[in-house]
Amino acid sequence: MTEEIIISGFGGQGVLSMGKILAYSALMEGKEVSWMPAYGPEQRGGTANVTVIVSDERISSPIVSTYDTAIILNQPSLEKFEQSIKPGGTLIYDGYGISVPPQRKDIHIYEINAMDAAAEMGNPKGFNMIVLGALLKVRPLVTVENVLKGLRKTLPERHHHLIPANEAALRKGMEIIG
Amino acid sequence: MKGNEAIAHAAIRCGCDGYFGYPITPQSEILETLAVEKPWETTGMVVLQAESEVASINMIYGGGGSGKRVMTSSSSPGVALMQEGIAYMAGAEIPGLIVNVQRGGPGLGTIQPSQGDYFQATRGGGNGDYYVLVLAPSSVQEMADFVDLSFELAFKYRIPAMILSDGVVGQVMEKVVLPPFKPRRTEEEILRECPWATTGRKGGRPINVITSLELRPEAMERHNLHLQEKYQQIRENEVRYEELLVDDAEYLIVAFGSAARIAQKAISELRKEGIRVGLLRPITLWPFPTKRIAELSGHMKGMLTFEINAGQMVEDVRLAVEGRTPVTHYGKMGGIVPTPDELIERLKGDFSL
């Protein structure tokens, strides 16, 4: 099994951290992983994306041309990556800020409203974890338990009290995806 | 962890005595990680943010001159600034480690990945007849493993060693097994291993002088001949490379560092189509695996050199092949990293497959 994933959105939405948590969680399951950011003079409001590959085998290129799954969090990212999804692949997008919805007929498309759900939960920073929860519902790459382990590994200890709120956001994401 | 972070952890673990550097994207995590790890409180390793790259390299010159395992890291424009110091180290036969996490050039260029410093790294880069030993990691694991290896080789041959990485290998996060802890060498061990070093003159040993200056032409010629003899020894003993699926290959891709990873993916796709392609990945860029490429060229219908630049290593490949088979090049510049699909298309186009 090899899953090539692109996560793309605005800087500040937690794109890179979502990828990092996913990669660490997969590591906890003994998988091979790679996390390759499009780094740059990133700032809140700019664009950010990261390629995460999870595999049972050694990963060759951390940079790929097409993706099994795309997580799209803004309009420019949708325009950039919709055509790079493999036929039969998966596209999950947050409806907020998408004016022209995806057009492809040969992929599985899921719309979620994570931005609204995060606001309703009173946890706007939980946005990326809601999206991650949605991903794991449709592509069960790792278990929630291992995501929590991954969080413990990536978050500095002073933030560990936020783990329950993150778990709630994950489960919310699993719930709201159609 | 990231490739840059792996360099920092490996330095602490391999008994490195000091790091001197100046921040620059895409390698600043090296200095940042060292600052977080605070090795001066554990192993006693010194970590200093110097005032510039020129200062950093001259600190390495001084530290290496006293027999210490010292290193610096930077990215392309910063390494360009260091060339004078590197030439002085080569002339004075001072071991040390320089890490270059390359970005696009020329000049300040871009902060995105590139392999555009191949010429600079493998041709010496500064003035005079010299080489530095160049290792090209293609994974986070090799970023970690090559730190100790570089120091070992640098001290064995009294030569500056360089890890020539790039923005992809520096920024990517992968699984890594860090090397076990090795203590820093004691003063006695340094005295034994580096009788040439300026360690403080005790017990009436002759004076050690560290210099690259020699005004008598005959003596300077002798020194140069000695350097050349050493370089010949390194060419004979230290060539490293990795091969993938070359035994039945009709076409060969030659690629180093991150480009070799992209090539691996392209090769597995091409093999699915029945096109027999193999990979030769030079691990040492100097000394270059000239002999092996020459051997393989006899069996190949064609070779493609894949680099993230305008075509630099391709010159060394052509020198090795000596016209026995066609050699083409594919690469991109400006911080754009070619994808496996683009490489596949180019290889098919070049050899009409």
Side-chain angles (χ1 to χ4, degrees):
Chain A
M1 187 281 302
T2 298
E3 181 91 2
E4 295 166 340
I5 305 161
I6 180 86
I7 308 172
S8 186
F10 287 124
Q13 279 181 318
V15 167
L16 298 186
S17 5
M18 193 198 315
K20 201 164 163 180
I21 293 160
L22 176 62
Y24 267 102
S25 318
L27 197 64
M28 298 291 145
E29 301 209 347
K31 307 264 195 225
E32 295 289 330
V33 297
S34 86
W35 176 95
M36 180 68 212
Y39 65 89
E42 309 297 10
Q43 54 187 359
R44 191 176 173 86
T47 60
N49 71 66
V50 60
T51 304
V52 176
I53 304 177
V54 177
S55 180
D56 294 323
E57 288 149 41
R58 212 176 131 187
I59 294 162
S60 54
S61 176
I63 290 164
V64 292
S65 329
T66 54
Y67 308 93
D68 299 294
T69 298
I71 297 172
I72 298 297
L73 304 175
N74 65 7
Q75 187 71 42
S77 303
L78 181 62
E79 281 157 22
K80 191 165 177 194
F81 293 112
E82 185 179 353
Q83 298 311 320
S84 316
I85 303 166
K86 296 177 194 171
T90 303
L91 166 62
I92 300 171
Y93 72 100
D94 184 63
Y96 192 88
I98 298 283
S99 45
V100 187
Q103 305 297 320
R104 295 261 306 259
K105 300 281 178 248
D106 59 341
I107 54 174
H108 305 285
I109 299 177
Y110 300 88
E111 180 183 355
I112 49 164
N113 288 303
M115 202 77 96
D116 297 338
E120 272 165 33
M121 290 178 83
N123 181 14
K125 284 188 184 167
F127 168 73
N128 62 349
M129 295 303 286
I130 297 179
V131 177
L132 182 59
L135 166 71
L136 295 181
K137 181 70 185 290
V138 291
R139 306 289 308 160
L141 299 165
V142 288
T143 63
V144 172
E145 287 65 41
N146 279 319
V147 175
L148 298 177
K149 269 197 216 165
L151 269 176
R152 253 171 243 126
K153 196 97 187 168
T154 46
L155 284 178
E157 219 156 283
R158 64 178 194 281
H159 291 148
H160 279 195
H161 67 280
L162 298 171
I163 291 176
N166 278 290
E167 184 178 358
L170 266 177
R171 299 208 185 271
K172 184 81 185 172
M174 298 179 122
E175 214 176 281
I176 63 169
I177 189 154
Chain B
M1 65 174 64
K2 282 190 177 189
N4 289 334
E5 295 164 348
I7 292 261
H9 286 284
I12 299 168
R13 285 165 173 258
C14 82
C16 180
D17 295 301
Y19 170 96
F20 309 91
Y22 188 79
I24 179 171
T25 306
Q27 63 80 54
S28 295
E29 292 89 350
I30 300 177
L31 179 54
E32 283 168 17
T33 306
L34 288 169
V36 169
E37 293 296 318
K38 298 190 176 72
W40 54 90
E41 289 176 1
T42 51
T43 71
M45 175 185 173
V46 172
V47 178
L48 186 76
Q49 179 176 333
E51 65 269 37
S52 71
E53 289 85 352
V54 176
S56 314
I57 194 68
N58 284 291
M59 289 172 184
I60 305 298
Y61 187 19
S66 58
K68 301 281 188 186
R69 279 183 158 217
V70 288
M71 66 182 286
T72 184
S73 68
S74 190
S75 180
S76 308
V79 176
L81 282 168
M82 293 182 184
Q83 292 303 328
E84 179 195 58
I86 298 173
Y88 277 45
M89 287 173 73
E93 300 191 82
I94 301 303
L97 169 60
I98 302 116
V99 178
N100 181 358
V101 183
Q102 297 168 91
R103 57 190 245 182
L108 269 182
T110 165
I111 60 173
Q112 300 302 323
S114 162
Q115 297 182 324
D117 301 348
Y118 178 90
F119 280 153
Q120 185 196 60
T122 59
R123 267 63 178 168
N127 63 305
D129 282 305
Y130 79 92
Y131 292 99
V132 300
L133 203 146
V134 186
L135 291 160
S138 75
S139 62
V140 174
Q141 187 63 53
E142 285 190 340
M143 288 286 256
D145 294 343
F146 288 177
V147 175
D148 187 50
L149 177 62
S150 297
F151 277 123
E152 291 294 327
L153 294 171
F155 276 85
K156 181 174 175 188
Y157 294 103
R158 291 186 58 187
I159 184 174
M162 180 178 283
I163 294 181
L164 189 70
S165 178
D166 62 60
V168 175
V169 187
Q171 291 296 325
V172 74
M173 239 189 248
E174 295 181 320
K175 217 187 229 183
V176 58
V177 180
L178 291 173
F181 272 101
K182 186 160 119 178
R184 288 170 54 227
R185 288 170 307 161
T186 61
E187 294 299 323
E188 290 70 36
E189 282 167 338
I190 291 176
L191 281 174
R192 253 199 320 276
E193 280 175 44
C194 310
W196 46 266
T198 48
T199 44
R201 197 157 156 251
K202 291 173 211 106
R205 68 152 165 79
I207 295 171
N208 286 340
V209 180
I210 304 281
T211 181
S212 63
L213 177 72
E214 174 53 69
L215 294 175
R216 296 165 300 166
E218 296 75 17
M220 196 52 181
E221 185 189 37
R222 272 200 304 280
H223 179 57
N224 265 287
L225 288 171
H226 157 71
L227 289 180
Q228 291 303 321
E229 205 175 292
K230 178 168 88 173
Y231 297 146
Q232 195 48 38
Q233 255 180 38
I234 297 173
R235 282 190 193 102
E236 279 159 25
N237 300 326
E238 304 301 343
V239 172
R240 287 169 167 78
Y241 57 86
E242 185 185 51
E243 291 178 352
L244 175 75
L245 302 170
V246 296
D247 289 346
D248 68 339
E250 294 181 327
Y251 299 92
L252 187 72
I253 296 177
V254 185
F256 69 95
S258 58
R261 297 282 296 272
I262 297 164
Q264 273 175 37
K265 172 106 183 165
I267 288 168
S268 65
E269 298 298 320
L270 285 161
R271 287 253 164 192
K272 280 183 207 158
E273 296 179 34
I275 300 172
R276 297 213 297 262
V277 187
L279 172 72
L280 186 132
R281 174 172 75 93
I283 293 173
T284 49
L285 301 182
W286 192 90
F288 193 70
T290 306
K291 210 193 271 176
R292 184 58 182 155
I293 291 177
E295 280 165 17
L296 288 174
S297 64
H299 318 293
M300 298 294 163
K301 289 187 183 166
M303 287 191 185
L304 186 150
T305 306
F306 175 52
E307 313 164 64
I308 310 174
N309 59 36
Q312 301 191 12
M313 181 175 69
V314 65
E315 294 192 0
D316 286 332
V317 174
R318 288 198 176 118
L319 284 171
V321 170
E322 292 182 311
R324 279 179 288 265
T325 192
V327 177
T328 63
H329 167 266
Y330 179 56
K332 281 194 168 183
M333 293 166 285
I336 299 198
V337 181
T339 63
D341 284 1
E342 291 168 322
L343 172 59
I344 290 169
E345 205 177 308
R346 174 56 81 92
L347 185 119
K348 286 181 177 171
D350 281 356
F351 302 113
S352 315
L353 298 169

